[in-house]
Structures are given as structure tokens and as C-alpha cells.
Amino acid sequence: MKKSQLGFLVVAATMLLAGCSEATVTATPVKNVDTVSVTSPDDIDVFCPTGICTFELSTTEPTKVTVTMHYDYSKLYTKIEGVSVVGEGAKDAKVVDEDQFTVELTKKNTPVKIEVIDFYRN
């Protein structure tokens, strides 16, 4: 095999592998958050004892994440009243049920600030 053909195969294989890479989501507490746990690239648990909290999310690849809100390890949120997303790196935050919402992280390495409020907050 010629060097040019081998070089092309290496570049093509690298591009294919890079295209299949999984997103890595980073979560950072900002206000009233005890713990944030990224359980998988598309699932995050946020522990907020006051029922009103702010945290940041960023990703290495565009992805849709599901966030589950907890007061503590034994109690989930009762009814999410609202989710606010600040920043250009996300869209379509939607409440799924009483304790979960989804958000699409659209831009790589762009932190997005998210505020969540529980209706029955402390």
C-alpha cells in the first residue's frame, strides 16, 4: 500500500472515531446546590435542599440531558414550577414531570446557567 493511501486511511479512521465520540457533560454548582452528579452523558442528578437553585452545564458535544431534581438523597422535588436557561449554549428546556426536565445543550464548551424552582420549596 502506498504511503498516501495509508495516510488517507488513518485520517478517515480518525474522523470516523471522532464522529462517534460521546458527549462529556460538566455540571457546576452555583447557588444553593449541595451536590451535582453526572450519572451518564444524558442524566444528571442535582441536590438542592432549598427548592431554588442555580447551576451550570456545559458539554463537549451537542446533547440532550435529563436533569432529576432532589431536595436530598431521600426526597425528590414535588413539582417543578419553572426552569430558566441563561446563555446561548442551550435551548428547549422542558419540564418532563414533577422532578425532571430536559435541556438541549447545543454548543460545545459553552457554559449555560440554569435556575430551577420547586413549587413546594422550603
Side-chain angles (χ1 to χ4, degrees):
M1 187 177 285
K2 293 181 182 177
K3 284 185 180 181
S4 63
Q5 290 175 327
L6 183 59
F8 175 75
L9 286 175
V10 170
V11 170
T14 303
M15 290 175 62
L16 285 173
L17 289 174
C20 296
S21 67
E22 199 171 86
T24 301
V25 176
T26 304
T28 307
V30 175
K31 184 177 180 184
N32 295 330
V33 175
D34 281 350
T35 307
V36 179
S37 176
V38 179
T39 57
S40 73
D42 55 356
D43 287 310
I44 299 170
D45 289 318
V46 177
F47 296 86
C48 172
T50 64
I52 301 174
C53 63
T54 306
F55 54 95
E56 286 184 345
L57 297 177
S58 63
T59 183
T60 57
E61 296 292 328
T63 189
K64 183 177 183 177
V65 296
T66 300
V67 179
T68 303
M69 299 300 299
H70 305 258
Y71 279 105
D72 56 37
Y73 288 97
S74 63
K75 184 178 179 185
L76 293 166
Y77 269 32
T78 309
K79 180 181 177 185
I80 293 177
E81 182 177 352
V83 178
S84 300
V85 178
V86 178
E88 297 179 10
K91 65 177 183 175
D92 298 332
K94 294 180 183 169
V95 175
V96 177
D97 58 27
E98 297 85 15
D99 58 8
Q100 288 185 326
F101 67 92
T102 60
V103 63
E104 289 186 44
L105 302 175
T106 57
K107 292 190 178 180
K108 296 184 203 181
N109 304 317
T110 303
V112 177
K113 193 174 286 188
I114 297 178
E115 182 180 65
V116 184
I117 300 173
D118 186 50
F119 185 77
Y120 297 105
R121 60 194 169 270
N122 296 331

